[in-house]
Amino acid sequence: MEQATPDPERLWQPAPLEPLSHPDAGLESMVGEETKGARDEGPGDGTMTENNFSLKKIEISVSEAEKRTGRNAMNMQETYTAYLIETRSVEHNDGQSVLTDSLWRRYYPHIVVPPLPEKRAEFVWHKLSADNMDPDFVERRRIGLENFLLRVASHPILCRDKIFYLFLTQEGNWKETVNETGFQLKADSRLKALNATFRVKNPDKRFIELKHYSDELQSVISHLLRVRARVADRLYGVYKVHGNYGRVFSEWSAIEKEMGDGLQSAGHHMDVYASSIDDILEDEEHYADQLKEYLFYAEALRAVCRKHELMQYDLEMAAQDLASKKQQCEELATGTVRTFSLKGMTTKLFGQETPEQREARIKMLEEQIKEGEQQLKSKNLEGREFVRNAWADIERFKEQKNHDLKEALISYAVMQISMCKKGIQVWTNAKECFSKM
Amino acid sequence: MSGGPPKALPSTGPQSLRDMPHPLAGSSSEEAVGGDSTPSPDLLTARSFGDKDLILPNGGTPAGTASPASSSSLLNRLQLDDDMDGETRDLFVTVDDPKKHVCTMETYITYRITTKSTRVEFDLPEYSVRRRYQDFDWLRNKLEESQPTHLIPPLPEKFVVKGVVDRFSEEFVETRRKALDKFLKRITDHPVLSFNEHFNVFLTAKDLNAHKKQGMALLTRVGESVKHVAGGYKLRNRPLEFAAIGEYLDTFALKLGTIDRIAQRIIKEEIEYLVELREYGPVYSTWSALEGELAEPLEGVSACIGNCSTALEELTDDMTEDFLPVLREYILYSDSMKSVLKKRDQVQAEYETKLEAVALKKEERPKVPADVEKCQDRMECFNADLKADMERWQNNKRQDFRQLLMGMADKNIQYYEKCLMAWESIIPLLQEKQEAK
């Protein structure tokens, strides 16, 4: 099947999807600026136009995990799990695309980007498999991926991401298509920038607080998940040991006359009790997954803060540079030398420069200053723009987080209630058997 | 105790406790009519010098009254057993009020023994004395010596093997008190043992120590006779019914041992689970401090887990204090019962050996000498006593275990009910909408 448009970038214009290193990525420009004429003349899967590709009309489901072997980025053979993604818009049943699990992360600097589910099983309690091929883990990951896609689809801005669209619709090696956009390079350089350390003089207080919060959140959720895994481990032990009662009551009942029946049937209930823990703990894993999502979200929050810092640093550097140029200019004009410059040194060493030379330099500087002032202005604007947009998304995120975590806590409480009720049931049954002894 | 004329068993008849020789008293070589083994009235008086509470011997019970100590009246006793449970009970014994005594030489605990009785053997309707563990130990030894054909209930363990337990702690003392109470109640319920003079002295004597010293010389004679019987005879075949009892006791003790180990393991796992819970709950509190809208829900979950932890601790304490000791008691019980079975075997062995010896003597008209007849008596009494006691023991065991296991089920039900209540109560808290931001 031929891809109609050789340059996917032309599907939507301008490219709001310039993500990373370019600080000018103003994403709200995306809205309403998609090319109306752009059509995907692809294989009759159905036309995806901007009109069709709207929030409410997308249904996404992730299903059918299967094992595959292939070559990874380092050209090494590896086994991975492939999930089937089905999207459906109201009008047509769109094609299906298959994705590999080496899905990479898309950055929108001022957006708190939904995190992917974990690649490897972590925070496992020891009976739970840490094997990535384990069917339970694969299933939970499937749910996690579906959740991720739904989050992206329901985000007012992210849902229009072209890469996301490609991801959902493109058959074959969508990664190649994406790479053609030169995206990968930008992604890498962006990551490099993030890792650099620098000092910002006047960061926005709110971002400092947010960064602090995200650090704390990450720490507390990690701790919680670790302890929860240990709790699950211990609980498993308690239930399973009760299974031994089943066997010994049965053996004992063999030598008893009147007590025999009661003991035997009580033993059966002990077996039921012991085996009930498996489902209980499996359910609890869903709760852990919900917490994990927000653990990973903490990183996304940090990324936004980091971006702000980057921009702020950039701004401060630009202002500093401008100030220094202005001063140089002034000094040249007035003849006083206060700042160190190479020219100044060479002048001292090799003799004064001519007035013409000086004039030339002053002119150059003045041009640079003009440019610099422009740049500073636009950087300032961008910076404020960023803060505004970022904060809007952060507020959205907060609402989402509060809602989701409350729901998670409620469902956890419901699980506990169910477990208690089962426990009461089993022991009541056992008690009745004992009473008949 | 009212009763008709005793059913005839050779060599017994209606006699007072004090006058009647115990079937096992006296060695076969002496034609003792039991005078040696039965304390004479004089000696009884001597024993009681200075002690007004001691029962003074009467000249003898009115003729026609069946002496409860005779095995001939045992059958009557058995029939009356059912009546004893309710209104015809005439002896009540309770152990309570533990107190610590600190002396120069040692520190120990005494318990108050309260006795209420309408029996003629008791001078007063009510007694209250203080006894310590060694006194109970003394009593049990005396009972074993003087009533070797009966099953004597076990005492709680003398020494605390598991190292770290504080023998003055409230829990330990309470557990012991319950066991001692059970011990005395079992004797009280026994138609023969409850009339034992040592038991009487134990319940009534102001100064038991004085008693112990006096009593030793006399009572050893009875012990001697038993020991004499116990020596050197090998039984060829244990009769079927006693073999069955032996096998039953072996398996029973085995199963109880397994149950004890399982119960201990469960408690251990529960304690480890508790340790993790105690770390788990507070993490929610830590998280709550970071949050705004989620603060209350998270704090609620933390408190909830705290409540569950407390409930779990109560469960493990109860199981340790109430469940394990009873299991251990029954294991000790079955051990002592096996010893009694062995003694019975020896009595039978002696009889059979002597009988054979007679049969081997070449006499024209072999007549069974008196001492062989005595052996036969002994054996038959032993068998009768043991059978009766076994039946009683089986009934009590069934009741005790029904109560014990129902208690275990109950405690677990209560634990789950407490947890259920905790979780159900926070659901509304989790669901409530934040009023103002």
Side-chain angles (χ1 to χ4, degrees), chain A residues 216-332:
Chain A
E216 304 264 279
L217 186 71
Q218 185 172 53
S219 158
V220 84
I221 296 185
S222 306
H223 189 195
L224 193 65
L225 286 169
R226 270 199 309 278
V227 184
R228 193 213 69 90
R230 293 205 303 262
V231 166
D233 232 345
R234 291 303 176 195
L235 191 60
Y236 184 84
V238 170
Y239 272 71
K240 286 301 177 190
V241 180
H242 277 86
N244 290 311
Y245 274 148
R247 196 184 61 244
V248 76
F249 283 169
S250 176
E251 289 165 5
W252 183 9
S253 72
I255 58 168
E256 296 291 343
K257 291 178 210 118
E258 299 114 337
M259 281 168 60
D261 288 338
L263 274 175
Q264 181 86 358
S265 45
H268 160 75
H269 292 297
M270 291 293 98
D271 286 332
V272 168
Y273 182 68
S275 60
S276 69
I277 192 65
D278 296 300
D279 285 343
I280 289 169
L281 288 177
E282 184 54 42
D283 285 346
E284 262 197 38
E285 282 308 308
H286 295 296
Y287 172 66
D289 285 339
Q290 288 173 295
L291 292 181
K292 272 179 215 171
E293 193 192 10
Y294 279 90
L295 175 68
F296 302 142
Y297 254 125
E299 263 177 62
L301 277 178
R302 253 213 298 275
V304 176
C305 296
R306 196 73 168 165
K307 175 61 183 171
H308 164 76
E309 281 183 341
L310 258 173
M311 291 180 79
Q312 188 65 16
Y313 181 72
D314 215 23
L315 184 72
E316 285 173 5
M317 286 296 108
Q320 203 176 310
D321 188 55
L322 184 67
S324 127
K325 284 201 166 78
K326 279 186 176 164
Q327 183 152 45
Q328 266 182 51
C329 201
E330 191 207 316
E331 283 171 6
L332 279 176

Side-chain angles (χ1 to χ4, degrees), chain B residues 218-238:
Chain B
L218 294 157
L219 294 167
T220 346
R221 295 242 191 104
V222 181
E224 282 301 324
S225 70
V226 173
K227 279 185 214 151
H228 193 92
V229 172
Y233 296 98
K234 269 278 162 139
L235 182 70
R236 257 173 253 132
N237 283 311
R238 207 184 235 182

Side-chain angles (χ1 to χ4, degrees), chain B residues 25-168:
Chain B
S27 70
S28 51
S29 48
E30 307 169 30
E31 292 285 320
V33 195
D36 285 348
S37 52
T38 319
S40 71
D42 296 334
L43 284 161
L44 263 179
T45 326
R47 202 193 302 149
S48 71
F49 85 99
D51 188 346
K52 293 191 186 79
D53 286 339
L54 189 65
I55 294 164
L56 300 169
N58 34 25
T61 53
T65 311
S67 165
S70 80
S71 31
S72 62
S73 64
L74 205 60
L75 288 165
N76 286 341
R77 198 62 55 211
L78 277 173
Q79 274 140 19
L80 292 165
D81 238 4
D82 296 328
D83 302 335
M84 265 178 87
D85 290 334
E87 298 93 53
T88 46
R89 185 163 284 214
D90 61 354
L91 176 63
F92 299 88
V93 179
T94 318
V95 179
D96 62 6
D97 191 34
K99 276 201 166 66
K100 196 168 173 180
H101 297 254
V102 184
C103 309
T104 37
M105 294 298 284
E106 55 174 350
T107 305
Y108 59 90
I109 307 266
T110 63
Y111 305 84
R112 180 177 65 186
I113 319 293
T114 313
T115 309
K116 293 191 175 104
S117 180
T118 53
R119 288 188 186 178
V120 289
E121 287 81 5
F122 294 89
D123 267 2
L124 302 174
E126 202 169 316
Y127 290 90
S128 179
V129 296
R130 290 221 143 246
R131 298 283 181 250
R132 54 186 291 192
Y133 184 92
Q134 354 171 292
D135 301 333
F136 284 83
D137 202 28
W138 169 88
L139 173 62
R140 188 169 194 284
N141 289 333
K142 286 295 158 212
L143 287 173
E144 270 190 331
E145 277 171 22
S146 55
Q147 314 275 177
T149 61
H150 289 288
L151 302 174
I152 315 295
L155 275 177
E157 277 152 359
K158 193 167 204 162
F159 301 109
V160 186
V161 189
K162 306 260 166 152
V164 209
V165 181
D166 172 20
R167 62 191 176 97
F168 297 114

Side-chain angles (χ1 to χ4, degrees), chain A residues 213 216-217 220 223-224 227-228 230-231 234-235 237-239 241-242 244-245 248-249 251-252 255-256 258-259 273 287 291 399 401-402 405-406 409-410 412-413 416-417 420-421 423-424 427-428 431 434-435 437, chain B residues 248 251-252 255 258-259 262-263 265-266 269-270 272-273 276 279-280 283-284 286-287 290-291 293-294 297-298 301 323 397-398 401-402 405-406 408-410 412-413 416-417 419-420 423-424 427 430-432 437:
Chain A
Y213 168 78
E216 304 264 279
L217 186 71
V220 84
H223 189 195
L224 193 65
V227 184
R228 193 213 69 90
R230 293 205 303 262
V231 166
R234 291 303 176 195
L235 191 60
V238 170
Y239 272 71
V241 180
H242 277 86
N244 290 311
Y245 274 148
V248 76
F249 283 169
E251 289 165 5
W252 183 9
I255 58 168
E256 296 291 343
E258 299 114 337
M259 281 168 60
Y273 182 68
Y287 172 66
L291 292 181
E399 291 284 314
K401 177 203 76 174
N402 286 338
L405 288 176
K406 256 202 209 163
L409 289 176
I410 291 172
Y412 184 65
Q416 299 303 306
I417 287 170
C420 290
K421 284 188 175 162
I424 291 171
W427 282 104
T428 306
K431 186 180 172 185
F434 290 138
S435 73
M437 267 167 44
Chain B
Y248 170 83
T251 311
F252 178 71
K255 295 306 147 195
T258 306
I259 292 173
I262 294 171
R265 181 66 191 278
I266 289 175
E269 294 285 337
E270 281 173 347
E272 287 175 349
Y273 173 48
E276 300 298 348
E279 190 182 329
Y280 184 50
V283 181
Y284 282 98
T286 308
W287 187 358
L290 300 175
E291 297 287 340
E293 198 180 313
L294 287 177
L298 287 169
V301 171
F323 187 78
K397 174 211 77 185
R398 186 176 161 200
F401 275 97
R402 186 192 300 143
L405 292 169
M406 282 176 73
M408 170 174 91
D410 247 336
N412 278 281
I413 291 170
Y416 278 113
E417 279 178 346
C419 292
L420 180 65
W423 286 105
E424 280 182 335
I427 294 273
L430 294 175
Q431 284 174 331
E432 99 189 347
K437 275 209 197 152

Side-chain angles (χ1 to χ4, degrees), chain B residues 194-387:
Chain B
S194 64
F195 285 90
N196 182 285
E197 58 192 271
H198 304 291
F199 184 51
N200 191 300
V201 160
F202 177 90
L203 292 177
T204 59
K206 273 261 156 68
D207 181 5
L208 192 62
N209 286 327
H211 220 83
K212 288 184 194 177
K213 288 181 195 132
Q214 286 288 340
M216 288 258 270
L218 294 157
L219 294 167
T220 346
R221 295 242 191 104
V222 181
E224 282 301 324
S225 70
V226 173
K227 279 185 214 151
H228 193 92
V229 172
Y233 296 98
K234 269 278 162 139
L235 182 70
R236 257 173 253 132
N237 283 311
R238 207 184 235 182
L240 220 60
E241 59 184 324
F242 294 107
I245 292 174
E247 272 169 38
Y248 170 83
L249 287 175
D250 282 336
T251 311
F252 178 71
L254 217 68
K255 295 306 147 195
L256 281 194
T258 306
I259 292 173
D260 180 53
R261 276 192 301 282
I262 294 171
Q264 279 187 64
R265 181 66 191 278
I266 289 175
I267 290 170
K268 175 170 170 281
E269 294 285 337
E270 281 173 347
I271 287 172
E272 287 175 349
Y273 173 48
L274 181 63
V275 166
E276 300 298 348
L277 278 183
R278 291 236 184 262
E279 190 182 329
Y280 184 50
V283 181
Y284 282 98
S285 267
T286 308
W287 187 358
S288 150
L290 300 175
E291 297 287 340
E293 198 180 313
L294 287 177
E296 254 185 63
L298 287 169
E299 193 55 53
V301 171
S302 176
C304 195
I305 294 171
N307 289 337
C308 293
S309 307
T310 306
L312 182 61
E313 193 166 18
E314 283 163 15
L315 175 65
T316 55
D317 284 345
D318 282 347
M319 290 299 282
T320 307
E321 284 157 30
D322 297 335
F323 187 78
L324 292 180
V326 177
L327 279 181
R328 300 218 180 99
E329 246 169 60
Y330 260 93
I331 295 173
L332 289 171
Y333 214 161
S334 55
D335 284 344
S336 76
M337 284 160 74
K338 282 190 262 186
S339 313
V340 177
L341 265 180
K342 286 199 186 109
K343 274 192 232 147
R344 190 219 68 87
D345 287 347
Q346 276 142 15
V347 169
Q348 180 176 339
E350 190 194 6
Y351 167 64
E352 285 175 355
T353 310
K354 292 206 167 128
L355 195 63
E356 256 182 52
V358 167
L360 287 172
K361 278 197 207 148
K362 303 240 156 96
E363 278 176 15
E364 295 99 36
R365 267 187 292 154
K367 69 167 175 149
V368 182
D371 70 331
V372 179
E373 256 187 27
K374 260 211 160 58
C375 280
Q376 188 186 15
D377 278 350
R378 248 182 251 150
M379 182 187 75
E380 284 170 359
C381 285
F382 208 138
N383 289 351
D385 283 351
L386 199 54
K387 267 200 278 201

Side-chain angles (χ1 to χ4, degrees), chain B residues 389-436:
Chain B
D389 272 15
M390 265 315 290
E391 208 176 297
R392 177 174 304 102
W393 182 88
Q394 284 284 12
N395 273 327
N396 289 338
K397 174 211 77 185
R398 186 176 161 200
Q399 278 185 43
D400 285 344
F401 275 97
R402 186 192 300 143
Q403 194 179 33
L404 183 72
L405 292 169
M406 282 176 73
M408 170 174 91
D410 247 336
K411 291 187 183 93
N412 278 281
I413 291 170
Q414 281 163 33
Y415 159 70
Y416 278 113
E417 279 178 346
K418 287 176 200 161
C419 292
L420 180 65
M421 200 167 72
W423 286 105
E424 280 182 335
S425 70
I426 63 153
I427 294 273
L429 173 72
L430 294 175
Q431 284 174 331
E432 99 189 347
K433 294 265 172 204
Q434 208 74 9
E435 254 74 19

